[in-house]
Amino acid sequence: SQQGEEDPQALSIQEGENATMNCSYKTSINNLQWYRQNSGRGLVHLILIRSNEREKHSGRLRVTLDTSKKSSSLLITASRAADTASYFCATVVSGRSGGSYIPTFGRGTSLIVHP
Amino acid sequence: ETGVTQTPRHLVMGMTNKKSLKCEQHLGHNAMYWYKQSAKKPLELMFVYSLEERVENNSVPSRFSPECPNSSHLFLHLHTLQPEDSALYLCASSLRDGDYGYTFGSGTRLTVV
């Protein structure tokens, strides 16, 4: 069954503003990851946060994880037109009998940053 | 380039054709994945190969057949596809425990006519 669900589905902001995207999930996870996808291309890994972590930073990105609420947020500060893309969260759970770790993606948030 | 190479980038095929998608990585990863991405839908995991284990999504039709001859190469064999199979097919690789993220290829845009 689908794990991560991003919210909002679409977000339109002006350059310089902050963009916040949320991800909710249903079951316990091993870690949660955020990805970016430019139109028609592959996904690019942005940041990974483990289930025992609450916050991580990478450049202009800030990710939080609240395991009690089963939710995560991605904040992009001081957005740029080049940040225009779709953003996906992926929840990773361990497979049965300690097997493969399976990432499950949501539908994504489409972010448009106007110059 | 991400280190995961998919070929071809674009493919148009008739419903009676047989074709194969190829994915290659030389990142030292030991797990490889096929995903299907259709408009307005979540990425759909199709198959996982991890060491000698294969995991498959039971909802994937048998007209899709994966092959993983070694840890660096992954194929998706296609036969008698339907128009609704038109989508972006993405390959990804990772270390088995997924603890360092997944590296995606640029995808193959498949159109079934």
Side-chain angles (χ1 to χ4, degrees), chain A residues 33 35 37 41-42 50 100 103, chain B residues 35 37 50 53 98-99 102 105:
Chain A
Q33 303 175 24
Y35 288 79
Q37 183 182 34
R41 307 285 295 184
R50 294 183 173 81
S100 303
Chain B
Y35 281 89
Q37 187 176 34
S50 176
E53 180 189 23
D99 215 29
Y102 299 84

Side-chain angles (χ1 to χ4, degrees), chain A:
Chain A
S1 62
Q2 181 181 331
Q3 268 278 46
E5 192 68 56
E6 295 89 348
D7 170 66
Q9 290 186 15
L11 184 59
S12 181
I13 60 175
Q14 295 296 127
E15 228 174 8
E17 294 180 340
N18 295 341
T20 300
M21 289 158 268
N22 303 296
C23 173
S24 59
Y25 57 94
K26 296 177 182 175
T27 64
S28 296
I29 59 173
N30 180 269
N31 65 66
L32 185 146
Q33 303 175 24
W34 284 92
Y35 288 79
R36 166 197 170 120
Q37 183 182 34
N38 288 83
S39 180
R41 307 285 295 184
L43 280 70
V44 176
H45 181 258
L46 295 176
I47 198 164
L48 179 153
I49 187 164
R50 294 183 173 81
S51 58
N52 62 352
E53 297 176 312
R54 292 297 167 257
E55 186 171 316
K56 286 190 83 168
H57 298 257
S58 176
R60 294 184 295 112
L61 306 180
R62 172 177 170 255
V63 168
T64 62
L65 179 64
D66 186 334
T67 53
S68 67
K69 295 181 179 178
K70 292 186 169 58
S71 68
S72 173
S73 67
L74 169 66
L75 169 67
I76 304 174
T77 59
S79 63
R80 305 166 181 167
D83 294 328
T84 295
S86 292
Y87 292 83
F88 296 84
C89 70
T91 51
V92 180
V93 299
S94 59
R96 57 188 182 279
S97 303
S100 303
Y101 286 71
I102 308 295
T104 306
F105 293 80
R107 287 182 173 82
T109 292
S110 175
L111 173 66
I112 297 175
V113 181
H114 299 280

Side-chain angles (χ1 to χ4, degrees), chain B residues 37-48:
Chain B
Q37 187 176 34
S38 304
K40 309 297 183 187
K41 292 184 179 180
L43 266 74
E44 177 188 359
L45 178 67
M46 301 177 74
F47 303 100
V48 180

